[in-house]
Amino acid sequence: MAPPVTLKVSSRIPKKPIKKLPTSIEITDKTTVQDVKDTLAKRAGGWDPNRFGLYEPEKKKLLKDRRALISQQESVLSGKEILVKDLGPQLSWTTVFMIEYSGPIIIHLLFPFLLRPYLYKLSLPYLPYTSSSLPPLSTSQLLACAIIVLHFVKREYETLFIHRFSLATMPLFNIFKNSAHYWFLSGAWLAYWIYAPGSYTALETPLTQKLDIIGLVLYIFGEVSNFHTHVTLSKLRSPGGTERGVPKGYGFGLVTCPNYLFEMIAWTGVLLVTRSSATLLFMVVAFVQMHIWALKKEKALRTEFPKEYRKKKYQIIPGPAALVGYLSGKAK
């Protein structure tokens, strides 16, 4: 074993020093990023270790991998310094997702079954109904409620039993920003328009019945395929681990992120059932965000696995030629 190395500990933001932060720390060739966080937290007076963000001194890049060895961080060893930043109060990613996904579940159960008689009489006074004479929910509205709630119940299940997170926590204050998308856009926004009397979702015709069936088929295919993709991704990382791997298998020969592709297919099914511009708006916003994530994922895979990873031209939506090639077995 190599002799211990002493690193200078400095604040990432000099104008915001961390109280009781030690000025130096000793590391060995087996010291990980998490070990440094634990030691700093203890010596600083019992802080939450996850509040500390560690940065290398040259480019001030965050050391994200909590299991990475400090001895393998060249700029840290050459400068014999590590930078520390207080990231603020933290929440585990499991807690974050449970909070985010619970919003739409609660809202899509409250709106149609408890709040509907009062909500639309107050907000849509021109409707020719009293609070006690609203028409019953249509088949499409009931189906929409079921598949949207099941979608987020599935996400809760995956959070608890499938996903393996590389980062342990997220800053507490980000929960409000992240939850806005789910609680408002896929929660209150969708629910208000979907369950409204007189909405397109409330129509019951032979055409809407066919759209419901097609939508349900697309939804089931998308959700099952999305679940399968998440299981595949979870197997790339050991329990509690942070290692990455090259994803292969169903869908991965076609696009970078087939989980996002199948997510959009499932929501296309929801769109056919709801027939609502509110659903379409939610899908557009979700696609833009997922596309940003998919581009980052493609870049990260090409950088980390330049030889093993087969570059993808399409990140979420495949082109016709790529789809034909995949279905014919030319792309694996």
Side-chain angles (χ1 to χ4, degrees), residues 133-258:
S133 65
L134 284 178
L137 292 166
S138 69
T139 301
S140 296
Q141 288 173 321
L142 290 170
L143 179 59
C145 176
I147 60 180
I148 291 173
V149 169
L150 284 175
H151 171 78
F152 288 104
V153 168
K154 166 184 165 290
R155 284 196 170 190
E156 298 273 33
Y157 176 85
E158 291 172 338
T159 297
L160 291 174
F161 303 109
I162 304 298
H163 295 319
R164 294 172 179 172
F165 305 106
S166 59
L167 296 177
T169 62
M170 182 192 79
L172 171 64
F173 297 107
N174 286 357
I175 189 66
F176 302 104
K177 177 186 68 176
N178 289 20
S179 293
H181 172 75
Y182 294 102
W183 283 68
F184 174 72
L185 204 55
S186 60
W189 170 258
L190 281 187
Y192 180 82
W193 296 109
I194 289 174
Y195 308 121
S199 68
Y200 287 112
T201 320
L203 296 177
E204 293 194 89
T205 68
L207 176 60
T208 63
Q209 293 174 359
K210 292 178 181 178
L211 289 175
D212 284 349
I213 294 173
I214 296 172
L216 183 59
V217 171
L218 283 176
Y219 171 83
I220 293 174
F221 170 75
E223 293 289 354
V224 172
S225 298
N226 176 266
F227 179 81
H228 182 277
T229 307
H230 285 160
V231 171
T232 300
L233 290 171
S234 73
K235 291 180 179 179
L236 295 176
R237 179 172 294 148
S238 60
T242 60
E243 70 275 17
R244 302 178 188 276
V246 178
K248 298 178 181 179
Y250 179 54
F252 286 100
L254 187 60
V255 293
T256 309
C257 298

Side-chain angles (χ1 to χ4, degrees), residues 48-317:
D48 175 5
N50 293 311
R51 286 189 63 154
F52 290 118
L54 304 185
Y55 299 78
E56 52 89 13
E58 186 176 336
K59 296 182 179 180
K60 297 183 178 180
K61 183 180 178 181
L62 177 65
L63 304 179
K64 292 183 178 181
D65 188 349
R66 62 183 181 273
R67 289 194 172 183
L69 295 173
I70 297 295
S71 59
Q72 294 179 357
Q73 312 303 315
E74 295 182 4
S75 62
V76 174
L77 289 186
S78 61
K80 291 190 176 181
E81 182 182 21
I82 194 164
L83 306 181
V84 184
K85 177 183 177 182
D86 178 12
L87 302 177
Q90 301 288 300
L91 277 178
S92 73
W93 275 103
T94 298
T95 302
V96 168
F97 284 134
M98 293 299 288
I99 292 173
E100 289 177 355
Y101 300 150
S102 66
I105 295 172
I106 294 170
I107 290 170
H108 281 275
L109 291 176
L110 286 179
F111 267 56
F113 301 114
L114 292 178
L115 301 180
R116 189 169 179 262
Y118 313 102
L119 178 65
Y120 296 107
K121 189 58 184 176
L122 292 174
S123 61
L124 301 175
Y126 56 84
L127 289 176
Y129 310 114
T130 65
S131 59
S132 60
S133 65
L134 284 178
L137 292 166
S138 69
T139 301
S140 296
Q141 288 173 321
L142 290 170
L143 179 59
C145 176
I147 60 180
I148 291 173
V149 169
L150 284 175
H151 171 78
F152 288 104
V153 168
K154 166 184 165 290
R155 284 196 170 190
E156 298 273 33
Y157 176 85
E158 291 172 338
T159 297
L160 291 174
F161 303 109
I162 304 298
H163 295 319
R164 294 172 179 172
F165 305 106
S166 59
L167 296 177
T169 62
M170 182 192 79
L172 171 64
F173 297 107
N174 286 357
I175 189 66
F176 302 104
K177 177 186 68 176
N178 289 20
S179 293
H181 172 75
Y182 294 102
W183 283 68
F184 174 72
L185 204 55
S186 60
W189 170 258
L190 281 187
Y192 180 82
W193 296 109
I194 289 174
Y195 308 121
S199 68
Y200 287 112
T201 320
L203 296 177
E204 293 194 89
T205 68
L207 176 60
T208 63
Q209 293 174 359
K210 292 178 181 178
L211 289 175
D212 284 349
I213 294 173
I214 296 172
L216 183 59
V217 171
L218 283 176
Y219 171 83
I220 293 174
F221 170 75
E223 293 289 354
V224 172
S225 298
N226 176 266
F227 179 81
H228 182 277
T229 307
H230 285 160
V231 171
T232 300
L233 290 171
S234 73
K235 291 180 179 179
L236 295 176
R237 179 172 294 148
S238 60
T242 60
E243 70 275 17
R244 302 178 188 276
V246 178
K248 298 178 181 179
Y250 179 54
F252 286 100
L254 187 60
V255 293
T256 309
C257 298
N259 49 320
Y260 297 157
L261 168 62
F262 297 133
E263 177 98 354
M264 294 306 298
I265 290 175
W267 277 98
T268 299
V270 177
L271 178 63
L272 291 179
V273 172
T274 62
R275 303 176 290 279
S276 172
S277 58
T279 306
L280 182 59
L281 174 62
F282 168 75
M283 291 176 64
V284 170
V285 173
F287 178 81
V288 169
Q289 181 60 73
M290 288 190 292
H291 191 251
I292 294 172
W293 291 335
L295 288 173
K296 291 181 179 179
K297 182 67 173 179
E298 175 70 18
K299 182 179 179 180
L301 287 169
R302 290 185 182 186
T303 301
E304 191 168 353
F305 306 101
K307 295 182 179 179
E308 300 91 339
Y309 178 67
R310 182 172 180 175
K311 298 178 181 179
K312 305 296 191 306
K313 182 178 180 180
Y314 304 99
Q315 282 70 57
I316 299 180
I317 306 297

Side-chain angles (χ1 to χ4, degrees), residues 8-19 21-23 40 52-57 60 81-86:
K8 179 183 177 182
V9 178
S10 304
S11 176
R12 172 70 171 75
I13 305 176
K15 293 183 179 179
K16 295 182 179 180
I18 301 173
K19 294 182 179 180
L21 185 70
T23 57
L40 291 176
F52 290 118
L54 304 185
Y55 299 78
E56 52 89 13
K60 297 183 178 180
E81 182 182 21
I82 194 164
L83 306 181
V84 184
K85 177 183 177 182
D86 178 12

